[in-house]
Amino acid sequence: MIYLLRHGQTDYNAEGRLQGQLESTLTALGEAQVRAMAQVLKAEIADVSGWRILASPLRRTRQSAAIVSDVLGLPVEIAPPLIEVGCGAWEGRLYADVRAETPEDFNARDWFFRAPGGERFEDMAARIDPWLATLPPEPERRLILVAHGISGVMVRRAYLGLTREQAFELDKPQDALFRLSGGAMTRLTCPPVTAP
């Protein structure tokens, strides 16, 4: 079984800025979102024995994983394949500016793979798919993955055997997580939170 969650809201999210592989810090709301997800995990997992937390190496996912770790009492391991899509020349820029300059690319469903100098769909599949194949098989698999919007989409795509087009239909919430088990996906929505 895999539980997959995205990091909470960051400063860049709040500013409407593209992060990609740049570093950004969780906001107070982001911390509250992750605490809510961690409580859902605590209710889902009766016995944490044998469970592992694997997180992308970026600060926002490490911060999120640390909150989950505090709630569940599990250590955090870094999993480099979970790093977010590289957005090349768009990283650090405002969504609105990029959209205004390149509407034909930015308004496409796969816009995140169109950045100049950025990663492409095939690049991410080449790092995520083989890595997933190395993880323990079900039912021994007991993993909590702390990822990003697009890397989380790519994990779900690979796990569920979705096409590229189907993958682009998946949402990227910061107030819900996903249970991947038995070849199926279940969305677990958290109670609404506000920044303290």
Side-chain angles (χ1 to χ4, degrees):
M1 183 177 303
I2 294 174
Y3 287 98
L4 173 68
L5 59 135
R6 182 184 178 192
H7 60 80
Q9 184 196 62
T10 66
D11 293 331
Y12 271 29
N13 291 148
E15 294 167 7
R17 200 173 290 280
L18 280 127
Q19 295 175 109
Q21 295 181 357
L22 293 182
E23 295 289 16
S24 188
T25 302
L26 294 182
T27 63
L29 174 59
E31 291 177 359
Q33 289 170 330
V34 178
R35 278 193 293 276
M37 288 187 275
Q39 290 302 320
V40 170
L41 285 169
K42 186 174 181 179
E44 283 275 314
I45 304 171
D47 179 3
V48 297
S49 302
W51 283 85
R52 298 164 61 199
I53 301 173
L54 305 179
S56 155
L58 294 177
R59 180 187 307 131
R60 56 195 183 266
T61 39
R62 287 185 286 110
Q63 286 180 300
S64 298
I67 294 169
V68 175
S69 171
D70 287 344
V71 171
L72 298 183
L74 293 170
V76 176
E77 303 170 46
I78 299 304
L82 289 175
I83 197 168
E84 183 60 307
V85 62
C87 289
W90 291 351
E91 290 190 354
R93 301 197 58 212
L94 292 171
Y95 283 89
D97 291 345
V98 176
R99 182 179 291 111
E101 291 170 15
T102 58
E104 66 286 350
D105 285 331
F106 204 78
N107 291 323
R109 289 189 318 157
D110 65 345
W111 65 266
F112 34 82
F113 291 124
R114 295 183 176 215
E119 281 188 288
R120 300 298 179 246
F121 176 89
E122 295 76 16
D123 300 327
M124 286 198 82
R127 68 175 154 90
I128 287 179
D129 294 12
W131 175 74
L132 279 175
T134 68
L135 298 177
E138 293 181 348
E140 294 82 18
R141 182 187 302 146
R142 294 183 185 91
L143 301 174
I144 299 163
L145 306 184
V146 185
H148 303 268
I150 306 307
S151 66
V153 161
M154 294 298 283
V155 166
R156 287 180 281 158
R157 176 205 57 84
Y159 180 84
L160 297 168
L162 302 179
T163 66
R164 176 186 173 118
E165 291 69 30
Q166 289 170 323
F168 298 149
E169 298 295 328
L170 297 174
D171 63 346
K172 302 171 279 298
Q174 290 174 308
D175 60 352
L177 59 156
F178 298 93
R179 184 196 309 122
L180 306 175
S181 180
M185 175 176 69
T186 304
R187 179 187 173 115
L188 305 170
T189 302
C190 301
V193 298
T194 55

